[in-house]
Amino acid sequence: MALIDRPWLSSYAPGVPAEVDIPEEPASAGLYRAAERFPYRVATDFMGATTTYRALLKQVEKAAEALRRLGVVAGDRVAIVLPNCTQHVVAFYAVLRLGAVVVEHNPTYQVDDLVHQLSDSGATVAICWEKAVRAVEQALPRTALRDVIALDLSRDLALVKRFLAGLVSLALGAGAIGVWLA
């Protein structure tokens, strides 16, 4: 294809190829390779709290097992309603590990936006930032959601940063709400 068809190519740095070969493997395979080759290298850095590839893989496998126990199988839609953080990476790869489909949502969306997106996607499980749980719960009756998992993102922060960020754990009640990475 000519540059006229793909004008963004002129913005690529020297040496960046216009096309790359995409391997015939699950997207999660790269994480497994990285954990094997570079187990102690930093995979994520969330507000100064780092996670190695080895630790990340362990979290992904634990989360995938929790999702499997909830009944998530290949082809299911799983909504992720999280900001950019380590737990988002964990949730993303855990869903892929099961062959399920990730459906991303902005954690600041209001109820009506969530109802539209969740019902349109057919998501049956939502993995949410605790601060987004209320909106997801309100959307729940008008969607196919059967389970909502609330995550406290402060668990990955040092105590001082937890306090400074004002991230307080949500007191969870009974019902469809659960926590997987306590």
Side-chain angles (χ1 to χ4, degrees):
M1 276 188 177
L3 187 57
I4 193 98
D5 297 331
R6 301 186 304 177
W8 56 87
L9 293 177
S10 65
S11 300
Y12 283 19
V16 174
E19 295 185 22
V20 295
D21 291 327
I22 299 173
E24 292 287 328
E25 63 185 13
S28 59
L31 174 60
Y32 281 83
R33 272 196 308 280
E36 176 143 338
R37 288 185 66 196
F38 314 110
Y40 302 106
R41 286 196 189 169
V42 173
T44 65
D45 184 334
F46 178 55
M47 297 180 69
T50 60
T51 303
T52 64
Y53 281 104
R54 181 183 206 183
L56 180 65
L57 182 58
K58 284 183 181 182
Q59 289 181 34
V60 167
E61 289 177 341
K62 183 178 179 180
E65 178 59 17
L67 290 172
R68 187 194 63 73
R69 287 183 181 178
L70 278 175
V72 175
V73 296
D76 283 354
R77 293 344 187 224
V78 178
I80 297 180
V81 191
L82 296 168
N84 292 334
C85 59
T86 301
Q87 292 308 312
H88 189 283
V89 176
V90 171
F92 181 84
Y93 280 107
V95 171
L96 295 181
R97 175 75 177 93
L98 296 175
V101 178
V102 172
V103 183
E104 295 281 358
H105 300 280
N106 186 322
T108 64
Y109 279 165
Q110 300 301 309
V111 175
D112 289 338
D113 296 322
L114 285 169
V115 167
H116 174 72
Q117 288 193 344
L118 290 167
S119 60
D120 187 50
S121 71
T124 56
V125 174
I127 303 167
C128 303
W129 180 26
E130 64 184 0
K131 297 189 184 289
V133 166
R134 185 170 308 220
V136 172
E137 279 186 312
Q138 290 174 0
L140 193 106
R142 298 182 278 167
T143 70
L145 287 177
R146 64 175 192 259
D147 294 294
V148 177
I149 301 165
L151 300 181
D152 173 9
L153 304 185
S154 70
R155 81 180 246 342
D156 286 334
L157 299 177
L159 186 58
V160 170
K161 288 204 177 181
R162 279 187 225 167
F163 176 75
L164 292 174
L167 298 172
V168 180
S169 295
L170 178 68
L172 297 174
I177 307 300
V179 176
W180 71 6
L181 299 172

